[in-house]
Amino acid sequence: MSDPTSHPWWYDAVVYQVYVRSFADQQGDGIGDLPGITSRLPYLRDLGVDALWITPFYTSPQKDHGYDVADYTDVDPLFGTLADVDRLLEQAHELGLRVIVDLVPNHTSDQHAWFQAALAAGPGSPERARYIFRPGRGPAGELPPNNWDSVFGGPAWTRVDDGDWYLHLFDSSQPDLDWRNPEVGDMFEGVLRFWLDRGVDGFRVDVAHGLYKEATLRDQERPKEPEKLAESMVERVLQDEPMWDQPEVHDVYRRWRRVLDSYPGDRMAVAEAWTQTADPMAMFIRPDELHQAFNFGWLGTPWSADAFADVITESIAAVAAAASAPTWVLSNHDVERHPTRYGGGPVGLARARAATLLMLALPGSAYLYQGEEIGLEQVDVPPESRQDPSWFRTGKPGRDGCRVPLPWAGDAPPYGFGGAAGTQPWIPQPEGWAALTVEAQLADPGSTLAFYRQALRLRREVLAGADDDTAASTDGDVLVVRRPGIRAVLNAGTYPAPLPEGEVLISSGPLPGGVLPPDTAVWVR
Ligand code: NOJ
């Protein structure tokens, strides 16, 4: 969206996250694919986003739905072919859309040729040295090398037949690479170049804070009260983390920056770095490192004007110190959808729309997650249909509920997602989505989709290229964000507030009686 003379395209872009399995299924097997994405590019252009980020479509046994890569430079037949990637890139670029692809450098699949070679080669071999294999503790090595837990539950170590243990911070099918081994860095430079040569505009770096572990692999110090340990990466609890955010990781991104800068066209990378506060997040976007980092502090903020104001102020200050621009994200494929987080039902949707309108007024770049533009809520996926590896490791519902395939049209599953009439896609869609389809919402000027389209159009018109000292302030439960020419005002309280003076450009909900109702935001000029 930005004025190309002042900022690169990503600086204040709106990026739409496509979860490839669940966006659009052209091949008709109940799983979304690359031709499906290509067929819907005009929809994304009309929505008004600047770019799409596509989750992993590489060769993979799909144990973690593509975040377990067996071949980084090929396409899984489930999703199409390399020629389909080329077509997608070409058509996106023709429509003025940039394309960011996912890069998964922390771990490979256990089916990757390197891991298979490591298993075959045995303890102490150079093949094992690409991963983190260690002998166990205890008299017969029967205990894991340290006390680390997997993010998906259970121990972060698995023992192989010859007695060695390997580290996996996620599923046991996702062995962690040893980034202290130079072969690993060289391999990934090749992967970057492979996709840059094909024309991608950027990378979303999976687990960007995880590549290096503290070299000693010492035990994590656990708080005396176990409830003080964060249960997921979303929780921001200051704790001992020898497995995350080690200083050595920054040299990796300095190397990648040099590679990205050697290509024309402002190629970029955005870090998925779940840091404990905003300041370490900003370290990933110093001028010689990556361009952006997801601001998960915003996603984790409770419904409160003061809390929103604090995160806005803190995030802007942290990235200003790094001389970059902030990013804002409310939903993605790993977290509960934000209308549900905000309480669900009509209140949840009203708050979700209000938070989105506020977010779109903020400086920097906004990341949207597919389906939020039609107001989808988290789905309660029945246990027999759950597929998230964390469900299998913990028995907790996991992330399937935010990954249900999109409803495009019609009044019954698969709602135009693809596949034969009357069949269900890979995660079943609920009954009752007919009113939520893109088709239904395009016909309704009061729909959430119409609201997103209007907000994105106005953002281009009013805020394009805006560079300013953004100020967030509160008056009781009312939050005010000042940008050049507009104020974005959110009522996070339970009573109506006075409508701010000026011309209302857009509101997230109805404004009856000339007041700003609870759970509503406006842009005022
Ligand atoms: C973060 C990804 O967003 C998530 O879906 C995945 O399970 C983990 N990284 C492991 O790759």
Side-chain angles (χ1 to χ4, degrees):
M1 157 176 123
S2 66
D3 170 4
T5 55
S6 56
H7 289 306
W9 67 270
W10 47 264
Y11 191 88
D12 53 3
V14 176
V15 183
Y16 182 98
Q17 180 191 351
V18 171
Y19 190 69
V20 57
R21 294 178 72 90
S22 300
F23 187 66
D25 168 22
Q26 185 105 335
Q27 295 177 169
D29 57 1
I31 297 177
D33 46 49
L34 295 169
I37 301 173
T38 305
S39 73
R40 298 289 183 181
L41 289 173
Y43 167 78
L44 296 179
R45 182 218 31 215
D46 295 346
L47 179 60
V49 301
D50 302 291
L52 49 153
W53 146 36
I54 308 176
T55 57
F57 46 77
Y58 319 110
T59 316
S60 158
Q62 302 290 313
K63 288 283 174 46
D64 188 20
H65 300 137
Y67 287 98
D68 49 323
V69 180
D71 182 346
Y72 288 87
T73 55
D74 206 351
V75 174
D76 197 285
L78 263 185
F79 304 127
T81 60
L82 279 170
D84 290 325
V85 178
D86 295 341
R87 248 187 309 276
L88 191 161
L89 287 171
E90 189 187 315
Q91 294 197 21
H93 290 157
E94 262 172 33
L95 294 175
L97 295 165
R98 312 272 182 158
V99 180
I100 296 172
V101 297
D102 227 302
L103 188 71
V104 188
N106 179 65
H107 45 265
T108 68
S109 159
D110 60 359
Q111 299 307 307
H112 190 282
W114 271 10
F115 194 71
Q116 291 297 312
L119 290 182
S125 61
E127 287 84 354
R128 284 215 175 165
R130 295 166 176 151
Y131 294 90
I132 304 181
F133 278 88
R134 292 289 183 279
R137 296 201 281 204
E142 74 284 8
L143 298 172
N146 68 26
N147 69 350
W148 298 358
D149 286 330
S150 147
V151 173
F152 292 162
W157 295 90
T158 289
R159 198 173 195 194
V160 298
D161 289 345
D162 53 42
D164 250 8
W165 295 75
Y166 66 89
L167 178 72
H168 52 86
L169 292 178
F170 295 88
D171 189 53
S172 55
S173 62
Q174 295 166 296
D176 280 52
L177 287 160
D178 187 351
W179 273 83
R180 295 178 193 278
N181 181 335
E183 274 189 82
V184 174
D186 292 346
M187 193 263 263
F188 275 94
E189 177 166 340
V191 174
L192 278 181
R193 290 186 184 281
F194 178 87
W195 293 106
L196 289 167
D197 288 340
R198 282 202 115 79
V200 306
D201 298 288
F203 298 92
R204 174 263 188 194
V205 183
D206 189 61
V207 200
H209 58 313
L211 313 193
Y212 278 81
K213 290 70 178 158
E214 228 181 89
T216 58
L217 298 180
R218 66 169 173 86
D219 276 348
Q220 176 181 32
E221 276 177 37
R222 300 281 172 77
K224 297 235 163 28
E225 303 119 288
E227 70 275 10
K228 295 258 167 62
L229 206 59
E231 278 218 342
S232 73
M233 288 196 286
V234 184
E235 277 181 67
R236 295 180 127 208
V237 178
L238 288 175
Q239 60 188 19
D240 180 39
E241 291 189 330
M243 66 292 279
W244 304 120
D245 203 10
Q246 300 300 308
E248 296 92 325
V249 79
H250 295 284
D251 279 339
V252 175
Y253 302 130
R254 294 194 176 98
R255 177 173 181 181
W256 290 8
R257 181 61 177 253
R258 290 193 293 275
V259 174
L260 290 160
D261 283 350
S262 71
Y263 282 78
D266 289 325
R267 314 292 176 103
M268 55 79 75
V270 52
E272 187 224 17
W274 293 89
T275 56
Q276 302 197 31
T277 61
D279 289 332
M281 186 252 306
M283 308 274 271
F284 289 81
I285 53 173
R286 285 175 288 188
D288 60 346
E289 297 197 36
L290 302 182
H291 304 74
Q292 294 182 326
F294 292 137
N295 180 7
F296 291 122
W298 173 247
L299 180 154
T301 307
W303 187 255
S304 140
D306 284 331
F308 280 133
D310 287 349
V311 171
I312 292 170
T313 306
E314 177 196 333
S315 309
I316 291 175
V319 300
S324 184
T327 66
W328 312 96
V329 54
L330 287 167
S331 276
N332 64 32
H333 66 292
D334 291 330
V335 300
E336 189 173 42
R337 283 187 176 275
H338 60 283
T340 311
R341 270 199 334 261
Y342 292 145
V347 168
L349 182 59
R351 290 181 172 184
R353 287 171 56 147
T356 300
L357 192 57
L358 191 83
M359 172 173 87
L360 291 176
L362 294 172
S365 170
Y367 280 77
L368 309 179
Y369 176 49
Q370 68 179 38
E372 69 172 78
E373 78 278 19
I374 51 174
L376 290 189
E377 279 213 39
Q378 192 79 359
V379 174
D380 189 10
V381 176
E384 63 278 12
S385 301
R386 292 182 191 152
Q387 311 213 16
D388 184 343
S390 75
W391 154 250
F392 296 112
R393 289 179 67 90
T394 64
K396 293 186 188 156
R399 303 164 293 177
D400 296 306
C402 62
R403 299 174 174 181
V404 179
L406 288 193
W408 290 94
D411 50 19
Y415 295 111
F417 169 69
T423 59
Q424 279 284 16
W426 71 284
I427 301 179
Q429 296 163 316
E431 297 298 329
W433 264 11
L436 292 179
T437 64
V438 167
E439 178 185 55
Q441 297 203 30
L442 282 175
D444 173 6
S447 67
T448 298
L449 180 56
F451 161 71
Y452 265 74
R453 286 163 58 122
Q454 187 194 3
L456 292 171
R457 183 174 48 75
L458 272 171
R459 180 178 152 102
R460 276 174 197 265
E461 284 173 16
V462 183
L463 290 170
D467 221 351
D468 55 294
D469 293 327
T470 302
S473 57
T474 55
D475 179 3
D477 289 324
V478 174
L479 169 69
V480 181
V481 172
R482 287 172 200 283
R483 297 295 316 275
I486 68 156
R487 275 163 300 146
V489 183
L490 165 75
N491 182 357
T494 47
Y495 296 101
L499 196 58
E501 276 178 25
E503 176 198 358
V504 175
L505 296 177
I506 181 172
S507 72
S508 64
L511 301 174
V515 294
L516 183 62
D519 305 327
T520 307
V522 287
W523 287 7
V524 179
R525 173 152 60 188

